[in-house]
Amino acid sequence: MKLPLNLFLTIFVFFIFGEKSLSLTDYQIKNICKKEQRKSTCIKFLKEKRSNLQKGNLIEIPVLPYKR
């Protein structure tokens, strides 16, 4: 009984939240690029990544190692 319930809930969550992807707003992009030397290039690059994400295309996300 527990297995079918967990399976149903998992599939339900994937169907509900599978289509939604959270992307950066214009304000967040401007705040990120505020410290960059070339702001316009940074803004253009992030907006391009956002549009690819919204279209459903794969994007690369750099992973930085954690330093203690």
Side-chain angles (χ1 to χ4, degrees):
M1 183 67 181
K2 194 172 185 181
L3 180 66
L5 179 64
N6 286 341
L7 184 64
F8 173 74
L9 290 176
T10 305
I11 293 172
F12 180 72
V13 167
F14 280 129
F15 279 121
I16 296 296
F17 297 112
E19 294 292 321
K20 298 178 183 177
S21 63
L22 300 176
S23 58
L24 296 174
T25 63
D26 287 336
Y27 180 75
Q28 290 171 330
I29 289 175
K30 287 178 184 175
N31 278 342
I32 290 170
C33 294
K34 187 177 4 179
K35 300 171 189 164
E36 294 291 323
Q37 198 170 27
R38 297 182 180 178
K39 293 178 188 176
S40 60
T41 309
C42 176
I43 290 172
K44 179 182 169 187
F45 180 72
L46 287 177
K47 284 186 178 182
E48 183 179 320
K49 292 276 190 182
R50 178 180 64 187
S51 68
N52 285 338
L53 181 66
Q54 288 175 342
K55 290 177 187 175
N57 300 334
L58 295 177
I59 61 170
E60 290 184 25
I61 301 172
V63 177
L64 303 174
Y66 177 72
K67 295 180 182 177
R68 265 194 166 179

